[in-house]
Amino acid sequence: MAKKIGLFVAGAVALVVLLFHLGPLVGLAITLAVLYYAFKKCLKAPSTFGKIVWALIGCAALVASASNVPALVALVSAYVLYVVYKKWNGTRDEHAVPEADDPFVNFEKQWAELQKHYS
């Protein structure tokens, strides 16, 4: 029960932090999209003047995205919220193979791992 209360408190704090930093997160997404577009256009520009213009736009977008440092706090809180959600529901890895006492099953698992590493 104490674990659920701790998860609830951690999730609530992460949610509040995420909501307070939603503006910088949106700003970061927009400036990174502009930076990506400017980079792609700079590589495809046929003239030197075009390359310089797109490089300047990209530099401005890079400076604008660097000013959105609080968005990193939002990303960390979103990750904490995701971890709390996974722990709360008790979801396990679907690809995990249950351990068996049968030696042939263990042999098959080890053989598959060896083939995966050496192929």
Side-chain angles (χ1 to χ4, degrees), residues 7 11-12 15-16 34 37 39 45 55 67 71 80 84-87 107 109 115:
L7 286 174
L15 182 64
V16 168
V34 169
Y37 184 75
F39 179 74
S67 69
V80 168
V84 166
Y85 175 76
K86 295 252 317 178
K87 296 266 186 200
F107 173 77
K109 184 179 75 169
Q115 286 181 336

Side-chain angles (χ1 to χ4, degrees), residues 12-106:
V13 169
L15 182 64
V16 168
V17 169
L18 179 64
L19 289 176
F20 278 125
H21 290 93
L22 205 55
L25 188 63
V26 170
L28 180 68
I30 291 171
T31 55
L32 287 179
V34 169
L35 179 63
Y36 176 76
Y37 184 75
F39 179 74
K40 288 298 215 180
K41 285 292 187 175
C42 182
L43 291 179
K44 292 182 180 179
S47 67
T48 305
F49 179 74
K51 288 184 186 289
I52 291 173
V53 168
W54 283 113
L56 289 175
I57 292 171
C59 287
L62 183 65
V63 169
S65 64
S67 69
N68 287 319
V69 172
L72 298 176
V73 175
L75 291 175
V76 169
S77 67
Y79 177 73
V80 168
L81 200 58
Y82 170 74
V83 169
V84 166
Y85 175 76
K86 295 252 317 178
K87 296 266 186 200
W88 185 277
N89 288 334
T91 56
R92 293 177 289 172
D93 189 13
E94 290 115 17
H95 301 292
V97 178
E99 294 293 325
D101 291 332
D102 187 14
F104 295 108
V105 173
N106 288 332

